[in-house]
Amino acid sequence: KDTLIRTIALTKKVIVKHCSKPAGCSSPEESLRLQKESFMDLADTIIDLYKENDYDYIIMNRFHYGEMIYGQMYRNENPDDIREMIREVDKRLTSNVRQEDIGLVVLTATDPSFFSKNEDGLSLSNGKQDLIKKEMATFWDVFHMSLIPNKALIYVDDGKGNWNDPVTICTKVARLF
């Protein structure tokens, strides 16, 4: 993701917002409540930035879709509640941003072993095949559930264990707009 963002930033004016997990929560319900507040606030920030029209791209790295994976798998949040939160954030965005100006990009691989082979030690799955498979399947599900009209599932590998060229990936992203 970071390579893709850096490559886009070479030729476009971008702003990047990065989301992370909630801190110090005592329950899955509190975790999701705090995440929802954060994501709704960020949606409002995106809308404001969009209206200002100062950027070619407003990039949300690890936005609300990740909650379906990480909140459910690692914080025991209720998947139905997460789906409802995702729909609310999507509705806020799609009702305030022109459909042709909003997109969803999910980067994936043809096989989970590609991610475990290229593990950087920073992921929650930490190279464990069973967790990587579940994360990939859940990202696939949330991708299809999204209300965002322009979306692309982009493979970062060539199916033979090699990374795809970042420029090729950026070209696929650019086709969304």
Side-chain angles (χ1 to χ4, degrees), residues 113-128:
S113 63
F114 181 80
F115 285 137
S116 56
K117 180 181 90 171
N118 291 287
E119 173 62 48
D120 62 5
L122 301 175
S123 70
L124 294 174
S125 57
N126 203 19
K128 297 176 184 159

Side-chain angles (χ1 to χ4, degrees), residues 68-76 130-131 134-135 138:
M68 192 68 195
I69 294 83
Y70 305 112
Q72 180 180 190
M73 289 178 62
Y74 302 107
R75 294 189 289 277
N76 297 313
D130 58 329
L131 294 177
K134 187 172 182 180
E135 287 178 359
T138 309

Side-chain angles (χ1 to χ4, degrees), residues 5-177:
I5 292 167
R6 282 192 302 273
T7 303
I8 292 170
L10 291 173
T11 59
K12 300 290 183 183
K13 188 174 178 186
V14 302
I15 185 168
V16 180
K17 299 285 185 182
H18 189 277
C19 300
S20 59
K21 68 180 181 177
C25 295
S26 59
S27 70
E29 295 78 18
E30 180 186 20
S31 171
L32 183 57
R33 182 184 57 77
L34 291 173
Q35 287 295 78
K36 180 180 178 181
E37 289 173 8
S38 173
F39 295 140
M40 292 301 269
D41 287 346
L42 280 168
D44 290 338
T45 298
I46 291 168
I47 293 162
D48 290 343
L49 289 168
Y50 172 76
K51 288 176 181 175
E52 291 169 12
N53 201 24
D54 289 337
Y55 299 96
D56 297 315
Y57 292 104
I58 302 165
I59 298 173
M60 299 304 299
N61 187 350
R62 296 187 187 265
F63 197 30
H64 62 304
Y65 301 111
E67 198 65 16
M68 192 68 195
I69 294 83
Y70 305 112
Q72 180 180 190
M73 289 178 62
Y74 302 107
R75 294 189 289 277
N76 297 313
E77 294 172 1
N78 181 303
D80 292 330
D81 294 340
I82 298 169
R83 281 185 199 91
E84 180 57 32
M85 179 271 301
I86 289 171
R87 282 190 287 273
E88 287 181 40
V89 175
D90 276 1
K91 285 178 186 175
R92 171 93 41 104
L93 291 170
T94 57
S95 63
N96 289 284
V97 176
R98 291 182 335 171
Q99 289 193 6
E100 61 268 19
D101 290 340
I102 189 169
L104 168 63
V105 175
V106 174
L107 302 177
T108 191
T110 55
D111 188 278
S113 63
F114 181 80
F115 285 137
S116 56
K117 180 181 90 171
N118 291 287
E119 173 62 48
D120 62 5
L122 301 175
S123 70
L124 294 174
S125 57
N126 203 19
K128 297 176 184 159
Q129 284 286 314
D130 58 329
L131 294 177
I132 292 171
K133 285 180 184 177
K134 187 172 182 180
E135 287 178 359
M136 288 175 70
T138 309
F139 268 117
W140 178 263
D141 291 343
V142 79
F143 172 82
H144 290 288
M145 174 192 122
S146 166
L147 301 177
I148 302 298
N150 301 319
K151 49 189 169 184
L153 194 65
I154 298 176
Y155 293 93
V156 296
D157 67 315
D158 63 4
K160 300 174 187 169
N162 304 306
W163 286 96
N164 278 328
D165 176 59
V167 174
T168 302
I169 295 170
C170 283
T171 302
K172 291 178 182 180
V173 170
R175 288 184 191 139
L176 280 176
F177 302 97

